[in-house]
Amino acid sequence: MTWEQHREQLAKEYAHPPVLAKDLPHELEDRINYLPRYARRADNMQVKLFEAAIAENTETDEPHAPPIHIINDIDDDLTPPYEFHYSNLMWHGEGVPKPDWENLRGCDCIGPCDPKSETCICAQRHRQHFESPGFLYDERGRLTSQGYPIFECNDLCRCSDDCINRVVQRGRKYPINICKTEDKGWGVFAGHKRIPANTYIGIYAGEYLTESEAEERGVLYNKFGRTYLFDVDFWHLRVDDPNWTSKYSIDAYHAGNFTRYLNHSCDPNCSINAVYINEANIDKPLLAIFTTRDVRPGDELCFSYYGEDDDSDEDAPKSPHESICMPNDAVYRECRCGAAKCTGNMWR
């Protein structure tokens, strides 16, 4: 056995097991919701518990991220509805395969990867989908191009932790707040620092679902006017298979993070890009959110619920409810993004 084979065997043996949706905890949420309102308001208890749960549940995978604060200067709602488990993890639903470690490969680079290397496996993956050599990150960890699949170095790679091709796995670097808005419910806003263009914000976390399960949930969600479902549907998944159809969706209703509160905008300052780290299954990328332009302190972070105007329906994940909802479903609401080119609709 070569050292490379031994290294991969050890990495796979000690790989983190996938978290399963059936094991989602809910005791804290149940206890808080059981308390009378006056008890939850006492000493701002519900807000403190919500913020503490955010910090505790992301301590392992995002230990250096700035704290997230819940702010409501609009009405007397204490926090967003306490109905989900806060997590940056991807929870696997029934019928969704576990992460594919068997086919995962790592690079043999010493120290940080050289973007111009001809032998780096990770750089080779990028060149399969992006014509320019090197990685899609610059030396500051910002995207050089949006809309292309990103293959970060993984746990099998020999390169150092400061490798230029490790960004999403390092977590969020800029402070954000979850704030109540006047007419759009809860939203996500930049903290006290300007967020530069092409900066990583977070992944759209939640449950991986099969397409059939997503459609069933979508019918229900549409009726009461709130859905957190998105198809995993990117142009690079269709390239080699004209008959390809979406296999999985991500649902942030029962588990998710602050990204579930990102509102729609017809002129968004964020976009979703497919990112692969410890996953060889091309149909199961992470949905990573990056800014598309500089975001000033206090500005709202938004993305388009139906992708960019010039890329039809292939460059961004979609909500599966669009193909199964009825015109009178409650999910159809007037867009209130306030953009100069607002279409008036959140869904096409």
Side-chain angles (χ1 to χ4, degrees):
M1 178 180 289
T2 65
W3 159 245
E4 287 75 16
Q5 292 172 327
H6 182 60
R7 182 192 70 203
E8 291 190 8
Q9 179 176 321
L10 286 175
K12 292 173 181 177
E13 182 178 348
Y14 291 100
H16 298 293
V19 288
L20 304 179
K22 66 181 182 65
D23 297 327
L24 268 170
H26 53 81
E27 181 179 4
L28 176 62
E29 297 80 28
D30 291 346
R31 286 180 176 270
I32 294 301
N33 290 323
Y34 181 77
L35 293 173
R37 185 174 177 82
Y38 73 84
R40 288 181 277 136
R41 295 187 65 89
D43 196 28
N44 219 21
M45 182 185 69
Q46 181 165 320
V47 176
K48 292 179 179 178
L49 285 174
F50 203 126
E51 294 178 350
I54 292 174
E56 180 180 1
N57 295 345
T58 59
E59 182 180 10
T60 300
D61 54 271
E62 207 173 44
H64 305 297
I68 295 175
H69 297 293
I70 312 295
I71 301 173
N72 184 358
D73 297 324
I74 303 299
D75 54 31
D76 61 353
D77 283 348
L78 300 173
T79 65
Y82 218 134
E83 61 189 3
F84 73 108
H85 175 70
Y86 195 99
S87 172
N88 288 330
L89 303 178
M90 299 306 303
W91 299 76
H92 287 59
E94 192 71 29
V96 178
K98 65 181 182 180
D100 183 3
W101 275 83
E102 292 302 318
N103 295 302
L104 189 67
R105 297 293 180 266
C107 67
D108 291 319
C109 302
I110 304 301
C113 292
D114 179 0
K116 299 180 181 179
S117 171
E118 295 294 331
T119 59
C120 176
I121 291 178
C122 301
Q124 292 173 9
R125 289 196 190 100
H126 279 287
R127 284 194 286 270
Q128 292 175 3
H129 300 278
F130 189 65
E131 296 178 357
S132 300
F135 300 113
L136 284 170
Y137 298 128
D138 64 17
E139 66 279 357
R140 298 170 297 179
R142 298 174 192 168
L143 277 182
T144 58
S145 296
Q146 299 262 0
Y148 292 91
I150 302 166
F151 298 88
E152 290 200 1
C153 291
N154 56 62
D155 287 355
L156 299 185
C157 293
R158 295 181 66 181
C159 61
S160 55
D161 290 340
D162 61 344
C163 176
I164 191 177
N165 197 36
R166 297 180 186 270
V167 173
V168 171
Q169 59 195 267
R170 293 190 189 128
R172 175 176 52 86
K173 302 298 183 184
Y174 288 84
I176 58 98
N177 298 314
I178 301 172
C179 304
K180 189 68 177 290
T181 68
E182 288 191 10
D183 53 7
K184 296 186 294 182
W186 293 88
V188 179
F189 292 77
H192 62 281
K193 291 184 178 181
R194 178 183 69 90
I195 305 177
N198 301 309
T199 295
Y200 170 66
I201 299 299
I203 66 166
Y204 192 81
E207 295 178 72
Y208 276 127
L209 302 178
T210 60
E211 187 65 13
S212 58
E213 174 67 19
E215 288 189 2
E216 289 184 14
R217 292 192 186 188
V219 172
L220 176 62
Y221 294 165
N222 294 339
K223 297 304 179 185
F224 62 80
R226 195 145 46 93
T227 181
Y228 300 103
L229 282 163
F230 279 93
D231 282 348
V232 179
D233 183 1
F234 293 92
W235 67 265
H236 69 278
L237 301 176
R238 303 171 177 268
V239 170
D240 299 323
D241 185 1
N243 298 317
W244 182 91
T245 57
S246 177
K247 298 178 178 63
Y248 308 110
S249 294
I250 294 176
D251 184 8
Y253 186 91
H254 298 287
N257 57 18
F258 71 89
T259 62
R260 78 199 297 265
Y261 298 115
L262 286 168
N263 282 316
H264 164 79
S265 175
C266 299
D267 184 22
N269 52 20
C270 294
S271 68
I272 296 180
N273 293 262
V275 175
Y276 301 87
I277 306 177
N278 293 318
E279 175 64 84
N281 186 342
I282 197 70
D283 288 315
K284 286 176 58 190
L286 299 173
L287 307 188
I289 299 168
F290 291 80
T291 57
T292 56
R293 58 177 181 262
D294 290 352
V295 180
R296 297 172 301 182
D299 279 359
E300 186 174 9
L301 296 164
C302 301
F303 68 97
S304 172
Y305 285 2
Y306 49 74
E308 300 298 327
D309 289 338
D310 58 354
D311 58 18
S312 76
D313 63 347
E314 295 182 350
D315 284 336
K318 309 294 184 296
S319 172
H321 83 274
E322 294 183 69
S323 62
I324 56 178
C325 58
M326 302 298 292
N328 60 346
D329 278 352
V331 74
Y332 274 130
R333 297 178 181 177
E334 178 184 357
C335 180
R336 298 179 179 179
C337 70
K341 62 175 185 179
C342 179
T343 65
N345 299 307
M346 288 193 296
W347 311 106
R348 283 180 175 174

